[in-house]
Amino acid sequence: DAKTTQPTSMDCAEGRAANLPCNHSTISGNEYVYWYRQIHSQGPQYIIHGLKNNETNEMASLIITEDRKSSTLILPHATLRDTAVYYCIVRVPHGSSNTGKLIFGQGTTLQVKP
Amino acid sequence: KAGVTQTPRYLIKTRGQQVTLSCSPISGHRSVSWYQQTPGQGLQFLFEYFSETQRNKGNFPGRFSGRQFSNSRSEMNVSTLELGDSALYLCASSEGVGGELFFGEGSRLTVL
C-alpha cells in the first residue's frame, strides 16, 4: 500500500501558484519524498525529490515539514500544460533492496483553468 | 539523448494468447523496471531488472515474466491473457538502482 495520502483533485487558475499537499505520516528517517506527474496518456515524469530540506529546481519547489510527516509541491506559475495527475511517493534510499520499486497512490488530479 | 522506447505502442490480443512487450532504456541506463496501469488499480510495480538480474518483483501471478539482455534492453511477457490484463504497461529506466526513473510512453494492451 502507498504510504502517502493526497487530495483526489484540485483546481488552480493559470498563472497562479499551485500548492499540492501530501501526507506521509509513517515516513521513515531515511526515506525520500518523490514527486512525479502524469499527463494524460503519457508516462510519468519525474519532478523533484527531497529528504528533509526544501528543494527547488526549474520545474517546482518541494517544502517538507520539519517532522517530515507532510510535504507540499509548489508549481510557482501554473500553466495549462501543468494539468496532470501528480503523485507523491515515499521511496526507500539507495542501498535498500526495494529502492528501485515505486509505490504509487491515486495521486492528485490538478486542473489548471484559464 | 533518446528517451525510453517501448514497442509496440498499441496492441490487441484475445483471451488465452500471450504477448511480449519490449523496452529500450536510455543509453547508459542499466536498470529497467515495469509497471502496470489500470483505471481500477492505478500504477502497480511489476518487476525491476539490473544487469540482467531481477532485483525485485511485485505481487503479480507467474503469468507475468520478464528478462533483461546484456545491452540493458528488457522484455516482459504475459501468458494466457485474461480480460483484466488490459492495461497500459510502462517501462522506466535509471542509471543505476535507486536513481531517478525515466518512463516511456507505454504499451497499451487490450485483451478481447
Side-chain angles (χ1 to χ4, degrees):
Chain A
D1 287 345
K3 295 182 68 172
T4 61
T5 56
Q6 301 176 250
T8 303
S9 63
M10 293 181 63
D11 290 342
C12 178
E14 188 178 19
R16 302 297 294 271
N19 296 282
L20 292 90
C22 178
N23 286 320
H24 31 79
S25 58
T26 60
I27 191 170
S28 299
N30 58 356
E31 288 179 318
Y32 286 75
V33 179
Y34 275 73
W35 283 83
Y36 282 78
R37 73 179 182 183
Q38 187 174 25
I39 296 170
H40 184 62
S41 296
Q42 297 182 19
Q45 175 190 23
Y46 165 81
I47 301 173
I48 198 168
H49 75 280
L51 181 62
K52 55 183 178 180
N53 297 319
N54 298 338
E55 302 288 344
T56 296
N57 63 20
E58 64 278 5
M59 287 183 68
S61 295
L62 174 60
I63 309 297
I64 303 174
T65 58
E66 193 169 342
D67 63 8
R68 301 207 329 119
K69 292 185 177 182
S70 65
S71 61
T72 301
L73 177 74
I74 301 172
L75 307 178
H77 305 287
T79 70
L80 299 178
R81 288 178 295 179
D82 292 322
T83 293
V85 179
Y86 287 77
Y87 296 98
C88 169
I89 300 163
V90 167
R91 187 180 187 187
V92 294
H94 291 245
S96 164
S97 61
N98 282 323
T99 193
K101 173 181 177 180
L102 298 184
I103 299 176
F104 288 83
Q106 294 304 310
T108 296
T109 298
L110 174 68
Q111 181 72 49
V112 180
K113 299 186 173 182
Chain B
K1 194 185 262 191
V4 177
T5 304
Q6 292 188 245
T7 57
R9 289 293 312 279
Y10 303 91
L11 67 165
I12 300 173
K13 294 285 187 178
T14 57
R15 279 179 298 175
Q17 287 187 311
Q18 66 96 25
V19 67
T20 299
L21 308 177
S22 179
C23 172
S24 294
I26 291 172
S27 178
H29 285 194
R30 297 171 61 192
S31 177
V32 173
S33 52
W34 290 88
Y35 291 80
Q36 181 198 63
Q37 186 171 29
T38 61
Q41 299 297 319
L43 274 155
Q44 294 186 287
F45 172 80
L46 279 160
F47 21 66
E48 178 197 12
Y49 289 89
F50 181 77
S51 293
E52 302 179 64
T53 301
Q54 186 179 90
R55 290 192 73 253
N56 229 320
K57 190 176 191 301
N59 189 26
F60 280 81
R63 299 186 296 108
F64 292 79
S65 63
R67 58 179 176 169
Q68 186 181 34
F69 302 96
S70 59
N71 62 358
S72 295
R73 190 177 69 86
S74 177
E75 289 181 347
M76 67 162 284
N77 183 276
V78 188
S79 62
T80 320
L81 285 166
E82 301 176 359
L83 295 179
D85 297 332
S86 294
L88 180 67
Y89 289 88
L90 290 157
C91 168
S93 74
S94 64
E95 285 189 15
V97 175
E100 278 67 55
L101 296 186
F102 294 84
F103 284 82
E105 296 299 310
S107 293
R108 185 166 295 281
L109 170 65
T110 300
V111 181
L112 302 176

